[in-house]
Amino acid sequence: MPEGIEKMSVSLAERQVLIKELVCFSMLKPSEAKELASLMQEETYSPGQFIVVEDELVDRVYILVSGEAEVTHQVMVKKHLKKNRVNIAPLAVIGPGDAIGLNDTGFFSTTGKRTATVTATTKVKVLSIDLKSLHLFLQAHSHLQTKMYAAATQMLRVRLIKQSLPFVKLSYERTQWLATQVEEIQIAPGTVIFQQGEKGDSCYLIRSGHVEIEAAEEDGTKHALATLKAGTLFGEATLITHDPRNATARAMDECELLVLKHKHLSELIESEENVAKMFMTLMVDRSRPLRNPHVSAHHRITADGQSIVILKNPDNGSYFKLSTEGWFIWEQLDGKKTMHAITMALSNEFNTFAPDIVAALLSKLAKARFISNLAVVDESAEGRQSHFTRVTKRLRQLLEFQYAFGDADGWLTQVYNKGIYLLFSKMGKILMSLLAVTGFVIFLANTGSTIDTFEIMPHVWWIFVWLVPCTVLSVALHELGHAFATKSFGYEVHYMGVGWYWMSPVAFTDTSDMWLSTRGPRIVVNLAGVFTDTLVAGVASILILLIANPYVEAFLWFFALYTYINAFRMLSPLQELDGYYVLMDWVDKPHLRQAAVLWLVKKFPKALRNPSLFKNNLPEVYYWLACIVFIILISLLTLFVQTVVFKMLGLHASNIYLSLSFPIFIAIISSLGVVGEIRNQSD
């Protein structure tokens, strides 16, 4: 900032001399030089003050009247195996008569941003003129250099675009590109720019003048929504949602507009993540959001006594959790209040002024279709990704394929009502528990004899062939356990399906409707799959006593072993499997693993020095204790299975380290996901 803007101490005659000495203004007539001189302001800078800064937008040009200044430029120095370093390189020392921002042919910058920093080394007095005034002067004197006028026009466009909210964080290079794509139009007072209800392929940025936005109700009455001034972008909503214009725009006086076509806006949204986010914020800010009438609200109390609301959208089977403040915002969505009005209502109710939180919540609700009159098409997600990221994503989709069998709730309800409900009666639960416990005891009792039989039986590889389809059946029964447990509590299951995860078959059940229940039933539903596995394995073990064929006995034992191992694997808190969700519901903390990782990285070192801090993060502490216990148990289980396999194959480990290598390997593999998250948070 200048030290001060002074009254005219440099006469018009002295100013004209300084102006005429610049080659780019040497062709000016005396009257023109006098006119330009009268438009310039005097400014002073103290030693050490910046007059202009490199990479900032060009907004003014300067002529030094007195004093000296140093011109410097940033130079990137590459360091081998180290971070690059920026050095400041001196370019020149300028004095009276020299210009800043101008050269012999016009503007020094060709991009609209400063190419160097100029710092006063003594007390400096300058004459300056802002870019807009210079542009108007050049426009009024058409015989002057057209190249200089074109450069000034481009710089003004860049400045105007950068001042518009959606483009604030746009890079200079992309802003420069956009400035060359826009068209400039003049609009007479009273001209309708676009009509409500029509399709649009352009949005507009006001360069000068005022535009009125007007909406018509169904009964034909019209009311003004807003008056827009210079620097405001409007008409962009239809380009993103592809819906008809929701209002009419009319010029209130003579207007200059920059016109941005849909294809250019789409290119920006696809390539610039910040632009996409800013457009979403802008749309939400101007909208009058209306609740989707199909959405139902379900209130419940969390374990720590907090009141929350779960929204259910039957249109797409999605759910949304709201805090007390979020529920208040939801109730304001009546189609009449703007985001500003909702923000002020929240401030009055909770003494919290949080427009960013309101905007973020409305954006998320709009994306999930909980708001009926604010639909947003995300054109940016795929386009912003690199080619490598897209290829990796497609490859992962192939390796983690899932296929849903449509809406499963109808047939699940019928099957449940025709007899499955008996399993969830008191007697049914007792019988299933007895079968599971009895089967496990029989499994353990037959382990030794099965191993001995296996060693003497020929062609035992057939057993493993038959295990493949049976393991698929086991996976399906696991998911049916979740589904029927959900039905037992009266909730819906709309999606079931199958697929594969890398090289193993998987099935899945959407039990999201259980979020409408309390944590107790949710824990039961999460454990239902594991209980089903132990029940199936128990029944298979009991059949060992009823069938005298040694091959069938060995097959049933191995099937039970696989099913028990799978049940135990599903209890892992290290991955987002049944055990993790049970733990998350037990401590009643969403996103438990992410919170635990953050706590471990950020707060655990402090808690070691002050143990009382552990009490403040008990859910995170419980998570890590569960992980440690699981890793120990999975290592012991792996050691047991390894010992069984070695004995069957007649192998013997040469030393204890070889015996422990595979269990340790399994423990490491089980921990890779959470270790990766820890590293990400630590970087």
Side-chain angles (χ1 to χ4, degrees), residues 450-457 460-461 464 558 641-653:
T450 302
I451 294 173
D452 294 337
T453 303
F454 187 92
E455 291 183 272
I456 61 174
M457 284 193 307
V460 291
W461 59 272
F464 298 102
F558 271 105
V641 174
Q642 176 184 272
T643 303
V644 169
V645 172
F646 275 21
K647 187 172 182 181
M648 288 178 173
L649 298 176
L651 300 176
H652 300 280

Side-chain angles (χ1 to χ4, degrees), residues 253-396:
D253 46 28
E254 188 170 337
C255 295
E256 288 182 88
L257 305 177
L258 299 184
V259 184
L260 175 60
K261 296 293 185 182
H262 176 263
K263 62 179 181 180
H264 300 132
L265 178 61
S266 296
E267 184 175 339
L268 275 179
I269 290 177
E270 289 174 0
S271 59
E272 301 281 344
E273 184 175 0
N274 287 326
V275 173
K277 289 181 179 178
M278 289 301 240
F279 265 108
M280 166 61 92
T281 302
L282 188 64
M283 287 176 60
V284 171
D285 186 38
R286 294 179 180 172
S287 67
R288 287 170 167 75
L290 176 66
R291 295 185 298 269
N292 183 339
H294 302 151
V295 172
S296 58
H298 305 262
H299 298 258
R300 66 179 180 87
I301 305 297
T302 64
D304 57 1
Q306 293 184 6
S307 175
I308 64 170
V309 179
I310 305 293
L311 301 180
K312 176 182 177 180
N313 184 358
D315 296 341
N316 56 10
S318 58
Y319 300 79
F320 203 99
K321 186 170 73 172
L322 297 173
S323 63
T324 302
E325 293 82 358
W327 172 245
F328 178 83
I329 294 172
W330 173 257
E331 290 189 305
Q332 305 302 308
L333 309 184
D334 56 5
K336 298 178 181 178
K337 298 183 181 69
T338 62
M339 194 190 86
H340 175 74
I342 295 170
T343 301
M344 296 312 298
L346 180 70
S347 177
N348 293 334
E349 182 72 16
F350 294 95
N351 197 28
T352 301
F353 182 71
D356 54 336
I357 294 176
V358 174
L361 177 61
L362 296 184
S363 296
K364 292 176 182 177
L365 288 169
K367 286 181 180 178
R369 304 293 180 179
F370 283 85
I371 298 177
S372 60
N373 64 344
L374 184 59
V376 178
V377 178
D378 187 2
E379 300 181 38
S380 58
E382 186 75 13
R384 287 195 303 266
Q385 296 172 348
S386 67
H387 176 70
F388 176 78
T389 302
R390 290 196 296 269
V391 170
T392 305
K393 182 179 178 181
R394 298 284 165 78
L395 180 61
R396 184 168 182 175

Side-chain angles (χ1 to χ4, degrees), residues 109-123:
S109 172
T110 58
T111 64
K113 62 179 181 179
R114 302 288 183 187
T115 58
T117 296
V118 180
T119 309
T121 54
T122 65
K123 187 172 183 179

Side-chain angles (χ1 to χ4, degrees), residues 561-599:
L561 176 64
Y562 168 82
T563 308
Y564 282 132
I565 291 174
N566 189 61
F568 185 77
R569 183 181 67 86
M570 296 302 294
L571 290 174
S572 171
L574 295 163
Q575 298 172 281
E576 294 186 1
L577 300 173
D578 296 346
Y580 170 74
Y581 290 114
V582 168
L583 185 60
M584 190 172 69
D585 284 329
W586 179 57
V587 300
D588 209 6
K589 188 177 183 67
H591 311 296
L592 174 62
R593 184 166 71 170
Q594 294 90 323
V597 169
L598 275 174
W599 173 80

